[in-house]
Structure formats: C-alpha cells, structure tokens
Amino acid sequence: MPENDKQGLSVVTCTAPVNIAVIKYWGKRDEDLILPINSSLSVTLHQDQLKTTTTVACSRNFQQDRIWLNGKEEDINNPRLQSCLQEIRRFSRKRRNTGDSTSDASSVSHKVHICSVNNFPTAAGLASSASGYACLVYTLSQLFGVESEQLSAVARQGSGSACRSLYGGFVQWKLGTQLDGKDSLAEQVESESYWPELRVLILVVSAEQKSVGSTSGMHTSVETSQLLKYRADVVVPSRMEEMIRVIRERDFPAFGELTMKDSNQFHAICLDTYPPIFYLNNMSHRIISLVHRYNQYYGETRVAYTFDAGPNAVIYTLQDHLPEFVQVVRHFFPPEVNGEEFVKGLTVCSADLSEELKRDINMEPTPKGIRYIISTKVCVHAMSTS
Amino acid sequence: MCFVELFIIDIQSGGKRDEDLILPINSSLSVTLHQDQLKTTTTVACSRNFQQDRIWLNGKEEDINNPRLQSCLQEIRRFSRKRRNTGDSTSDASSVSHKVHICSVNNFPTAAGLASSASGYACLVYTLSQLFGVESEQLSAVARQGSGSACRSLYGGFVQWKLGTQLDGKDSLAEQVESESYWPELRVLILVVSAEQKSVGSTSGMHTSVETSQLLKYRADVVVPSRMEEMIRVIRERDFPAFGELTMKDSNQFHAICLDTYPPIFYLNNMSHRIISLVHRYNQYYGETRVAYTFDAGPNAVIYTLQDHLPEFVQVVRHFFPPEVNGEEFVKGLTVCSADLSEELKRDINMEPTPKGIRYIISTKAGPGPCVVKDPNHHLLGADGLPKKSAISH
C-alpha cells in the first residue's frame, strides 16, 4: 500500500529478481509489442544475492516523470519506459472506471519519480533489464492498484524477458499466437521449492558493457540468420516440451545437457548473424571446456553452463557437487591473492580436489580469469514490497 | 613428383553422409591458390627392390597403414591394373606391383587450418597416377577417399565438389567452375595467427557435428544448395561485393555449426574475432564489401580482395596488428605495394592495435591445378629411395 504523507506523496518500494533462461529468447516477431519468435524458459534466482530495488514516488507537486538508474538520471522518454508507464496508467484508469475504489483516485494523473538500483553490474549480460522492468512495472502496479495478472504483458513491453521475472521458480514465456500479443505471457512451470537441491553459480568474467546490445543484436539476427527461423519453428518447440519434462522429473543430467545445448545454439545463431556477434570470449570458452572435462571425468553431467548476451557464465549444479566444483573453478581460475572475496552470496563449503581429477582435467590455470563468483539458488518469492 | 596447390574454401563442407566413401552432406566450392606461394610437393619412387610401402611427411616417417593412405594406394593400383587389363600398354606393366616410397613436404604449417591434408592427398594421388599411368578423370573419387576436400585440389581456379546422389559415391566428384585466369584481379591474403595444432581435428569434429547439431541438417539440405547456385553466379559475374558477403556468411555459418555441436567446437579465437571485426569496420568505412574473410578449422584468416584494394588493406592490417619490430618478413609471397592510410580511416575503424597478433601474411592469388615437376634435382627422394637431407629441413 502506498504511504501517503501530508504533502500527498505516495511512495512504494519493491524488489524483483533476475531470471536466467535455459531455453533462450532471441528474436521478435513484433518489435512494438515485443512478441518473440519462440517460447523461452528460465530459472528465477534468489533475491538475497541478486535483485533490482525500485522506489516509486508519486506526488501532485512533481512537475514531470523522472527516473534514476544506479545513481544516474536517465531519459524518461525512452520508448520502453513510456510504454510501461502508459500501460500501467491505462490499466489503473480502467480499474477506477469500473468502480474499484481502493486505489488513490487522483494519483494516476500525478507525475512519478522512479529510482532503481541493481546490486550487480548492469549490461554485463546479467539480465538487468529483465529485473529492472519487472520491478518498475510491479512497483507502479502497487502504487496505482493494478491487478498482477495484467502485469506480464506490461513488463514484456518494457523488456521481453522481464515478464519471466514476475514469477519465482521455473517460468516459461509462451510465444503466443495472437497478433495483439494478449496470449504472449509468462507463467510458472514449477515453484522454487520443487527442486531445492538445484544451485546456481554466476562466474563473473568481466563487468564491461556488452559489445552488442540485445535489442539490436536480436533484430539483426532475425534479419540475417537463415538458421534462426529453423531454430524458432522446429528446434525450440520440442526443446520447450523436453525442458518442462526434465524439470518436472528433476532429471539433472538431462536438464544440464539441454541447457548447455541451448546456450550454444543461441551463440551459434549470433555467429550466423551478419555481421556476426561474439558474446563469448576466450574466458567463456575456457569455462565451457572446464565444464565438459569435469563432466567427462565423472562420466555424467554434474554441472551445466549457460551464457546470455555476455561473457559471464551461469552454472547450474546440484548442492552435493557444489563445494567440489567451486574448488575446481578456484584451482583453474586462481583469483587475485589479496583481492575481493572470491565467492559471494551463499556460503560454499570447502572441498579437496584429488590429484587425479586435476590431472584429468588437464588445463592450464588462468590466473584472475574470473573476477568473482556469486553463489545463489532458485528464487523463493518473485516480487516483494517493503 | 607434383606440386599441388592449396585451396581455401568458400562454401564449407562440414559433415559426411558416408564415412567410408567420404561422401559429404552438402556440396562445397573452393578457390585453388597459386603454387608459387603454397604447395605440397610429393615425390614417389617405385622399385622392385623396395620391401614395403613407406611414407615420410614433412621429414617424419608416418604410419603407412593409415586407412586413408591405404585407400588411396589401393584405389590407384586397382585403376592401374584395370587399365593394363584393357590393353593400354603405355604404363610400366610391372610397376603397379612394386612397393613405393613416398616423400611429401608442405611449405606452410601443417594442421593449422590451412587445409594441408587436402593438398597432401591430392598431390599423393596425382603423383601416383603419373607413376602408374592412371587417367586424371578418375582421380577425383580417389583423392576424395583420402581426404574429402582433396578432390577440389585436383583443379585450378574455382572448383566445386558436387554432393552427388548415388550411394556408391561415383557422382560425388570435383569439377572446375571457372579457371584461375577468369578473375585475375582477385587476390588472397592468408593471415597466420598461429601455427599451433588445431584443437579438434576436422574428421572427428565434423562427425560430432553430424551426430549432434540440429542446425546442420537444415544447413545442408536448405541453405547450401541455394548458396552454391548463388556463389557460382557471383563468380561468373565477377561480382566481388556479393562474392565477399556470401563467403563471409558461409564461414560464419560453418563456425556457428561448430558451436551448435555437442560438445561445442571453437576454431575461432580472440585474434580471429578481431580480424573479423576489422574487416567489417573497413568495409563499413567505404560503404561496400571490399574485403572478405573466411576461416577454416583453425584461427588463421584467409582474406579475399581485389588487387586495387590490396595495398591499403595490407597496410591496415599492419597498422592494427603491428608485427614484431625485427621479426621475420611480415608479408611473404607476392609483392604488395606500400600505401598510406588516412587518419580518418584509422579513426573510423577505432580499434586498439594488437601488437604481434598476426605472425605473418602470405600474399597470393588463384592458381592452376597439380602439375609434374620435370627437374630431377627437385626430387625429394634420393637414388636410394630415402628422403634427401634437404627434404627434412622444412
């Protein structure tokens, strides 16, 4: 509920999670409504480790809408922001007109001040626009009294994958068939408590700006990649079914293999784009190599990687394998000796590595190749209000 | 003894439909490069005194029982016997039953993605055919069974390897599209990033791709056939911008398939990415495709351009990949005129130079198919049938 003070100022603060896709969204069939060419599926991460926090204040005294992101004032006329603001206001007015009087009748016509902060690097391939828009839309909905069922479409029009951040656990964003996009929505596949042993590590290689932004990148892919249409029409639909099945069966080896394959195919599409897009760098390749060698040593898929539009790796594994794998990463990517804490987030127990394992992996260590690791897990609550 | 030129492929073959006969899943097209700059030289000696077949590659004796080598030897001998049986008496009737000593040398690094097995097998097959008197029309299939793309090295200029439809592979052959004199302005640069062994050999790499990449079948069945038609058309029209763009797209798609393989295969490294970036920025500056890249199963770049743009582009490479100051000659092969770069061009490209990122460049052009070397002083084997000392010095 918005707080109202004597100056007619209403303030709401919410947090929203990051989601990491295991079946990737890359390419739109409608640029204005942000409708995808294929469905996608993601895992929502825990907010204790990664989140966007947004405060929205609304007052009759504000002259204009304004927004600050990570301490810097940004252009409120960004079409995506405008889209979200307009849609939320439209829903709010519609609600008032239908007689629901719980919301503040005048607030929707007031200007808003928005302040949003991520506790992780922006635009480094860590899906910050997803959590950012999800948070913005949710916070505005709390302020203006809009039903949560309508938020999926609004968040989606801010940033496609933002709709997946509105739910916890395992979430799919359905492609939809309607031209108006009313059926292109996110829904929960299973909740986070469904697979409590699942763990996530984010290996931060670099916090630099990504080379090609996702929006223009995927647009160029749709325009130039002949393989993309085949992926969207033929490969993804069957992978979506399989992914939902392996999650429901808690089949980690199958989940891991499918996740890695889809990550690789996404990056293959980027390479089949003209001009080609390279999100993976040498360090990403080494991490991929490490995962395959680690799995090969045990003769099963114990660890899986996925990469979004950047060089940072997201690793999925089960809690039993977590200590050893973190130690493997530490061994092959030795951190700065007196640098920052290497493993942040959830505590990871220490583990010893056998000489046999190290020998079998047979890779040259890459000192300081990974700046730090965030250890986290699947999200408990998607959205929260403070 | 024969020289056989290197070739660099424009439309990539990357998968087999038959592993024994080495039949591809799609057609491919290549440009044969000039032997003055890149070649395999092979000497074959045959004598009743030799106890067994033996082979030396780049100075080292290799296993003659390699199935691919055996395949080539057996096929050539079979053709030779067939020819004798049909009454053609020009060949030495007894030689086909003698053992052979083979010595082969490349003047470029082996297994660094410079298609050495193609030139190597083409040369071997061609040389054996000269020795045993086998018709050249039959060589395509024999070379193919040594190393798929070797069949393309049997011709000069622009060469296609047709997919074929027959199960026995008899129609999966190479043929010339246009000769090397058709497009004399076309120039080729090989940017040698590294002479290291490639990470995943082509044979096992493409096998894994066929087994695991869902995108590969679509590429082979749908994308490549139309690209082959287009490539032949743009070569015949000498349309460089279209040729260049298609070449780059096919190189990228090949590497995309490698990434869509499980486990994924990475042939391009950071330096390859920088070269790709440089080419796109250079073309963007001029608003047209003046330069094109293609990469095989390794990090080294092959650049196509027209002779008018060659001096400037070589200078651009030198500027953004400054070589070792007192190192080896940076540009080998055909002479390249010097050129000045405008400040505007350098500023617009806007890339950090990468010192020593490229070890050296080989400047070359399209060239003819295999030929016989007449001068016996160039034989790699001595009168004793063993490699001469000079053949081991490469």
Side-chain angles (χ1 to χ4, degrees):
Chain A
M1 283 301 286
E3 303 164 28
N4 278 286
D5 66 12
K6 295 201 186 67
Q7 282 86 28
L9 181 76
S10 308
V11 184
V12 178
T13 296
C14 300
T15 62
V18 164
N19 72 77
I20 300 293
V22 289
I23 299 291
K24 307 285 187 193
Y25 152 60
W26 189 254
K28 300 180 182 65
R29 56 181 164 93
D30 185 314
E31 300 267 339
D32 300 315
L33 297 172
I34 305 191
L35 302 180
I37 55 174
N38 54 260
S39 298
S40 55
L41 200 147
S42 58
V43 178
T44 299
L45 302 186
H46 205 284
Q47 291 193 53
D48 284 357
Q49 285 77 50
L50 295 146
K51 68 185 177 200
T52 294
T53 306
T54 302
T55 297
V56 181
C58 179
S59 165
R60 68 172 65 87
N61 297 324
F62 291 160
Q63 302 283 316
Q64 54 189 353
D65 292 331
R66 294 175 74 178
I67 184 164
W68 289 261
L69 296 175
N70 292 313
K72 194 162 147 288
E73 182 155 18
E74 299 287 345
D75 182 8
I76 196 71
N77 292 313
N78 170 318
R80 304 285 188 92
L81 284 172
Q82 287 299 311
S83 179
C84 291
L85 286 165
Q86 285 162 27
E87 283 296 294
I88 286 284
R89 282 169 166 146
R90 188 171 69 80
F91 276 120
S92 184
R93 283 189 198 101
K94 200 159 78 174
R95 200 156 162 271
R96 268 190 301 120
N97 294 342
T98 57
D100 188 327
S101 60
T102 50
S103 62
D104 177 347
S106 56
S107 66
V108 74
S109 52
H110 295 342
K111 298 302 182 188
V112 293
H113 283 192
I114 303 162
C115 187
S116 192
V117 173
N118 298 328
N119 65 352
F120 55 87
T122 309
L126 281 180
S128 57
S129 59
S131 56
Y133 277 100
C135 204
L136 170 66
V137 165
Y138 188 80
T139 314
L140 288 169
S141 77
Q142 291 292 305
L143 194 66
F144 295 138
V146 173
E147 297 293 313
S148 60
E149 295 79 40
Q150 296 159 324
L151 296 186
S152 205
V154 183
R156 190 196 74 220
Q157 290 181 70
S159 172
S161 50
C163 62
R164 297 189 313 243
S165 271
L166 293 172
Y167 300 92
F170 304 87
V171 183
Q172 69 170 321
W173 172 17
K174 293 178 130 169
L175 159 64
T177 50
Q178 292 171 221
L179 291 176
D180 63 9
K182 287 209 161 92
D183 63 343
S184 183
L185 303 168
E187 66 182 37
Q188 194 181 57
V189 170
E190 291 296 342
S191 81
E192 73 293 341
S193 52
Y194 190 78
W195 203 348
E197 304 82 19
L198 195 64
R199 284 288 185 277
V200 183
L201 296 170
I202 301 177
L203 276 43
V204 180
V205 161
S206 145
E208 282 167 23
Q209 277 283 349
K210 66 175 75 156
S211 52
V212 177
S214 299
T215 299
S216 76
M218 70 173 75
H219 177 82
T220 312
S221 290
V222 168
E223 298 279 295
T224 62
S225 166
Q226 287 181 263
L227 300 179
L228 180 51
K229 192 169 185 338
Y230 181 76
R231 163 179 166 75
D233 294 346
V234 178
V235 181
V236 172
S238 74
R239 284 185 173 182
M240 283 293 291
E241 278 185 26
E242 198 192 332
M243 185 58 91
I244 289 169
R245 187 170 48 78
V246 303
I247 287 171
R248 289 193 166 140
E249 292 172 0
R250 298 185 197 87
D251 179 350
F252 186 85
F255 168 82
E257 184 172 315
L258 189 53
T259 294
M260 289 188 275
K261 284 178 168 175
D262 211 68
S263 175
N264 292 339
Q265 193 170 92
F266 157 56
H267 291 282
I269 296 299
C270 289
L271 201 29
D272 188 52
T273 298
Y274 189 79
I277 300 168
F278 303 105
Y279 286 127
L280 305 179
N281 64 15
N282 266 6
M283 213 54 62
S284 318
H285 294 174
R286 295 183 86 85
I287 291 168
I288 286 172
S289 200
L290 178 67
V291 169
H292 282 286
R293 289 169 193 239
Y294 183 79
N295 288 333
Q296 185 158 25
Y297 178 80
Y298 285 109
E300 61 171 6
T301 302
R302 291 192 170 192
V303 172
Y305 54 76
T306 188
F307 293 80
D308 283 347
N312 297 326
V314 176
I315 301 288
Y316 288 101
T317 190
L318 296 177
Q319 65 187 11
D320 285 348
H321 307 313
L322 189 65
E324 187 183 69
F325 189 72
V326 169
Q327 195 56 35
V328 163
V329 172
R330 208 188 262 280
H331 177 82
F332 288 97
F333 296 89
E336 188 112 44
V337 175
N338 289 319
E340 59 190 313
E341 199 183 5
F342 190 57
V343 184
K344 307 179 199 241
L346 296 175
T347 306
V348 178
C349 303
S350 56
D352 292 319
L353 300 182
S354 73
E355 286 309 309
E356 194 192 347
L357 171 61
K358 288 188 249 186
R359 225 178 17 247
D360 204 79
I361 286 177
N362 193 26
M363 276 174 64
E364 278 301 305
T366 316
K368 300 188 273 177
I370 292 174
R371 287 181 47 194
Y372 60 90
I373 298 174
I374 303 171
S375 172
T376 183
K377 59 185 185 176
V378 185
C379 178
V380 176
H381 301 295
M383 316 297 304
S384 58
T385 307
S386 52
Chain B
M1 179 171 87
C2 305
F3 289 133
V4 172
E5 303 64 34
L6 186 60
F7 67 90
I8 296 292
I9 51 186
D10 293 323
I11 300 286
Q12 308 270 357
S13 62
K16 299 184 186 70
R17 60 181 160 89
D18 184 313
E19 303 259 325
D20 300 315
L21 296 171
I22 306 192
L23 301 179
I25 55 172
N26 54 258
S27 299
S28 55
L29 198 147
S30 58
V31 177
T32 297
L33 303 184
H34 206 284
Q35 65 191 3
D36 284 357
Q37 284 77 49
L38 294 144
K39 68 188 177 202
T40 294
T41 306
T42 302
T43 296
V44 181
C46 176
S47 164
R48 70 173 61 86
N49 296 324
F50 291 160
Q51 303 281 315
Q52 56 189 352
D53 292 331
R54 294 175 74 177
I55 184 165
W56 289 263
L57 296 175
N58 291 313
K60 193 162 149 288
E61 183 156 18
E62 299 287 344
D63 182 7
I64 196 72
N65 293 312
N66 170 320
R68 304 286 188 91
L69 283 171
Q70 286 300 310
S71 180
C72 291
L73 286 165
Q74 285 162 27
E75 284 294 293
I76 286 283
R77 282 169 166 147
R78 188 170 68 79
F79 276 120
S80 183
R81 282 188 200 102
K82 202 159 76 172
R83 203 158 159 269
R84 268 191 301 118
N85 293 344
T86 56
D88 188 328
S89 60
T90 52
S91 61
D92 177 350
S94 55
S95 66
V96 74
S97 52
H98 295 340
K99 298 302 181 188
V100 293
H101 282 193
I102 303 162
C103 186
S104 190
V105 172
N106 297 328
N107 65 351
F108 54 88
T110 310
L114 281 180
S116 57
S117 60
S119 56
Y121 277 102
C123 202
L124 171 65
V125 165
Y126 187 82
T127 313
L128 288 169
S129 76
Q130 292 291 312
L131 194 67
F132 294 140
V134 174
E135 297 292 315
S136 60
E137 296 79 39
Q138 294 160 323
L139 296 187
S140 208
V142 183
R144 191 196 73 221
Q145 291 181 70
S147 171
S149 48
C151 61
R152 297 190 310 246
S153 267
L154 292 172
Y155 300 91
F158 303 86
V159 183
Q160 68 169 323
W161 173 16
K162 292 177 131 169
L163 160 64
T165 49
Q166 291 171 221
L167 290 177
D168 62 9
K170 287 207 161 91
D171 64 342
S172 184
L173 303 167
E175 67 183 37
Q176 193 180 60
V177 171
E178 292 297 341
S179 81
E180 63 280 6
S181 53
Y182 188 78
W183 201 350
E185 303 81 21
L186 192 66
R187 285 286 185 277
V188 183
L189 296 170
I190 300 177
L191 275 44
V192 180
V193 161
S194 145
E196 282 166 24
Q197 278 282 349
K198 67 175 74 157
S199 52
V200 178
S202 298
T203 298
S204 75
M206 70 173 76
H207 176 83
T208 312
S209 290
V210 170
E211 298 279 294
T212 62
S213 166
Q214 288 183 262
L215 300 179
L216 180 50
K217 191 167 182 348
Y218 181 77
R219 164 177 165 73
D221 295 346
V222 177
V223 181
V224 171
S226 75
R227 283 185 173 182
M228 284 294 292
E229 277 184 28
E230 200 193 331
M231 183 59 91
I232 289 169
R233 187 171 48 77
V234 302
I235 287 171
R236 289 193 165 138
E237 291 171 3
R238 299 184 195 85
D239 180 349
F240 186 85
F243 169 82
E245 184 172 313
L246 190 54
T247 294
M248 290 188 276
K249 283 177 168 178
D250 211 68
S251 175
N252 293 338
Q253 194 170 89
F254 160 58
H255 292 280
I257 296 301
C258 290
L259 200 31
D260 188 51
T261 299
Y262 189 79
I265 300 168
F266 302 106
Y267 286 127
L268 305 178
N269 64 16
N270 265 5
M271 213 56 61
S272 318
H273 294 174
R274 294 184 87 85
I275 291 167
I276 287 172
S277 198
L278 179 66
V279 169
H280 283 284
R281 289 170 193 238
Y282 183 80
N283 288 333
Q284 185 158 24
Y285 178 80
Y286 284 109
E288 61 172 5
T289 302
R290 291 192 170 193
V291 171
Y293 54 78
T294 188
F295 293 80
D296 283 350
N300 297 326
V302 175
I303 301 288
Y304 289 103
T305 190
L306 296 176
Q307 65 188 11
D308 285 349
H309 307 312
L310 188 67
E312 186 182 70
F313 188 72
V314 169
Q315 196 54 35
V316 164
V317 172
R318 207 188 263 280
H319 176 82
F320 288 97
F321 295 89
E324 190 110 41
V325 175
N326 288 318
E328 59 189 314
E329 199 183 5
F330 190 56
V331 184
K332 308 180 199 242
L334 295 175
T335 306
V336 179
C337 302
S338 57
D340 293 319
L341 300 182
S342 72
E343 286 309 309
E344 193 191 347
L345 172 61
K346 289 188 247 184
R347 224 178 17 247
D348 204 79
I349 286 177
N350 194 25
M351 276 174 64
E352 278 301 307
T354 316
K356 301 189 274 177
I358 292 174
R359 287 181 45 192
Y360 59 89
I361 298 175
I362 303 171
S363 171
T364 183
K365 58 184 184 179
C371 59
V372 178
V373 176
K374 302 273 196 299
D375 185 348
N377 288 324
H378 288 121
H379 286 316
L380 299 174
L381 296 169
D384 57 356
L386 296 176
K388 289 181 186 171
K389 288 281 189 309
S390 55
I392 311 177
S393 67
H394 281 272

